Amino acid sequence: DSNEVSEVENYVKANKVDPNPEYFGKAKGKNVIYVSMESLQNFVIGKEIDGQEVTPFLNSLVEKEDAIYFDNFFHQTGQGKTSDAEFIMENGLFGLPQGAVYMTNANNTLQSAPGILKGEGYTSAAFHGNYKTFWNRSEMYRTMGYDEFYDATYYDMSKPEEQLPYGLKDKPFFKESMPMLKELPQPFYTKFISLSNHFPFDRHENDTDFEPGQFGDGVVNRYFQTANYMDSALEQFFNDLKESGLYDDTVIVLYGDHYGISENHNRAMEQVTGEEITDFKNAQLQRVPLFIIAPGVKGEVNHTYGGQVDVRETLFNLLGVDNKDYISFGQDLLSKDRKQIVPFRNGDVITPEYSDIKGVCYDNETGQPVEEGSNACEEASKEATKRLELSDKVVYEDLLRFYKPEGYKQIDRSDYQYINPNP
Ligand code: GP9
Ligand code: MN
């Protein structure tokens, strides 16, 4: 009820950090494009196999003048995988400890990025080469206030060589999205959900000349090939954005949605990384890439420790959108005052110095457990648990029903529906 929402509100407001004045409002009024990079983990960035870069295009964005690359950024997803990543990024709330919030709570009241930005004059659209019912997306997008959802029915799904079990390959997906994107009223807030780099990372041998790796594990070997294909699909998309003139008016956020290589492949990953994959090391491998490309904004490689839940605050502050009143469990990644604590859905917690993994506290520098009796992880763990518990309360009890941020017009999900253009 409204008492419970006050507890959440008090916590959230006490934990808001001041934006960094060097960045606040620097992308005011710009369009937004999110790209969900399927299963892309950070270890591929800068990685070479037999002298060939796996992701030459993404690598070119590291240390580019208008691109901020975060190299200590982690996915925080649970069983909801891609959909959890979407939920976390756009709501500043965590996914659930079990199941997928997209499936279980699609009818909640939310104050999501598309709904908030609507009040700032933005039109919103989601693009994805799979059908709208997958992950219950169309129901959740109505709740979030997405104006348009261009799902597989908007794309040419007739060519077998362009099809995957989850939908359309990335190159035709981005190519065919361009005319629809260009038609949108500006400023727009959009997301593009890629899918070529999906387990079991196959069916792209004729789409790239990148050779599979040789690590004695087909899944790991092919991962480099499909990641390379996604990378060149992104390059094609950037070139098309530049050609269309949209690039200079747009903030682009590229993020890895979740891990691609599970612990079942630790042996091959030991060959890839040249290190033993301990519990500690596996947790560190949950880094995913985050790039924010904003023409006119100062680029850098940013080493802050953060996760998907922090991106919404970061974006809103770049856009100069006042977000003091919105419930979110993230802290702006560009703020100098943020606490660098990364909570995970399995209870692990990572900070710049220590990592609490399966209840054991590790010193990041040595990768070894701290001496017995040390409380090095205690404060961060407490804080992480608090954030997760409050976020779960918001979702399970649908608490945002009772929360009315000033100046925000509540989304009525019955105003939104997504019609198949070729029934
Ligand atoms: C399916 C795609 C993959 O539409 O987003 O979802 P995942 O299996 O990665 O959660
Ligand atoms: Mn995914």
Side-chain angles (χ1 to χ4, degrees), residues 2 24 41 55 63 95 131 141 154-155 184 188 202 223 261 270 303 330 350 378 395:
S2 49
F24 185 82
Q41 286 173 249
T55 56
E63 288 179 4
Y131 294 92
Y141 290 1
Y154 285 80
Y155 295 84
L184 285 178
F188 54 69
D202 57 359
Y223 181 71
I261 305 295
E270 291 186 344
H303 305 302
I350 293 183
E378 206 175 284
V395 174

Side-chain angles (χ1 to χ4, degrees), residues 141-169:
Y141 290 1
R142 295 175 66 200
T143 295
M144 300 209 282
Y146 264 102
D147 294 312
E148 309 288 346
F149 181 11
Y150 302 109
D151 78 336
T153 58
Y154 285 80
Y155 295 84
D156 178 0
M157 304 296 276
S158 70
K159 300 192 185 105
E161 71 280 10
E162 293 183 348
Q163 290 295 311
L164 295 168
Y166 289 108
L168 186 61
K169 286 181 178 176

Side-chain angles (χ1 to χ4, degrees), residues 32-194:
V32 178
I33 293 178
Y34 270 107
V35 179
S36 166
M37 299 186 290
E38 179 58 45
S39 299
L40 198 69
Q41 286 173 249
N42 199 52
F43 72 83
V44 300
I45 303 298
K47 177 86 186 158
E48 290 186 8
I49 293 186
D50 287 336
Q52 303 278 36
E53 291 175 80
V54 180
T55 56
F57 175 67
L58 290 176
N59 297 348
S60 76
L61 300 177
V62 176
E63 288 179 4
K64 188 173 175 292
E65 76 268 299
D66 55 7
I68 310 167
Y69 166 55
F70 295 89
D71 61 355
N72 290 309
F73 179 76
F74 294 81
H75 84 83
Q76 295 170 302
T77 62
Q79 290 171 343
K81 307 298 301 260
T82 312
S83 71
D84 273 0
E86 294 179 39
F87 183 81
I88 302 167
M89 305 268 303
E90 299 195 284
N91 293 291
L93 300 170
F94 293 98
L96 293 174
Q98 254 126 46
V101 56
Y102 264 44
M103 306 299 276
T104 58
N105 292 78
N107 289 319
N108 274 21
T109 294
L110 292 172
Q111 286 126 25
S112 309
I116 292 170
L117 291 178
K118 180 172 292 256
E120 308 284 327
Y122 280 74
T123 300
S124 54
F127 298 76
H128 184 42
N130 195 355
Y131 294 92
K132 66 180 179 185
T133 51
F134 196 89
W135 278 131
N136 206 26
R137 279 189 175 104
S138 49
E139 292 308 312
M140 189 53 109
Y141 290 1
R142 295 175 66 200
T143 295
M144 300 209 282
Y146 264 102
D147 294 312
E148 309 288 346
F149 181 11
Y150 302 109
D151 78 336
T153 58
Y154 285 80
Y155 295 84
D156 178 0
M157 304 296 276
S158 70
K159 300 192 185 105
E161 71 280 10
E162 293 183 348
Q163 290 295 311
L164 295 168
Y166 289 108
L168 186 61
K169 286 181 178 176
D170 292 349
K171 281 190 186 178
F173 165 63
F174 284 116
K175 198 42 100 187
E176 293 175 38
S177 298
M178 280 309 297
M180 299 186 275
L181 180 65
K182 283 194 267 187
E183 287 294 303
L184 285 178
Q186 296 185 43
F188 54 69
Y189 171 91
T190 58
K191 70 171 159 187
F192 290 76
I193 303 162
S194 72

